[in-house]
Amino acid sequence: AGSALGILFIQLFFAASGAAGSIPLVLKSAPSLFAFCSLQIGVHFLTLMTLGKGLFKLPSRELYLASNANVGGPTTAAAMAQAKEWHRLVLPALLVGILGYASATAIALALGPILVK
């Protein structure tokens, strides 16, 4: 019962988050932003897959979840793990996403005053 309720709330969260999104509107109003974000995510994914598979020999599913946690955050990574039935990877996906939030916040707080000058 708890798992079904959790899935329901995550689906509501995704629906509410994505309801206002419009790719055609972004392409019309900010095409350079869309191109920059696409390039950034593409470079991220290629780097992650190249280093993860080639250098560290990590399984693809773990790399996909790490990428998802980085780009979409902990909730989307956990939802992906659950949807793919990678049950042992749900908690690590959440934790990696939260670690990303925490480390990025610390870095931004440290760099903010330097960049404002």
Side-chain angles (χ1 to χ4, degrees):
S3 177
L5 188 61
I7 290 171
L8 173 69
F9 283 121
I10 285 177
Q11 294 301 326
L12 287 172
F13 170 75
F14 291 147
S17 297
S22 171
I23 291 176
L25 181 62
V26 173
L27 286 171
K28 180 180 175 188
S29 59
S32 59
L33 179 64
F34 185 83
F36 174 72
C37 291
S38 298
L39 177 67
Q40 190 176 27
I41 290 171
V43 168
H44 152 78
F45 189 74
L46 287 174
T47 303
L48 182 74
M49 294 307 289
T50 301
L51 292 176
K53 297 280 293 170
L55 186 63
F56 298 111
K57 309 283 192 248
L58 295 171
S60 294
R61 64 180 181 213
E62 292 178 11
L63 295 172
Y64 298 151
L65 282 176
S67 178
N68 191 328
N70 179 273
V71 174
T75 48
T76 60
M80 178 181 170
Q82 187 72 31
K84 294 286 192 178
E85 297 183 0
W86 300 334
H87 301 294
R88 68 174 194 82
L89 295 176
V90 173
L91 183 59
L94 280 170
L95 293 175
V96 166
I98 292 169
L99 177 65
Y101 282 169
S103 60
T105 299
I107 292 168
L109 289 173
L111 284 178
I114 296 168
L115 295 175
V116 170
K117 289 183 183 180

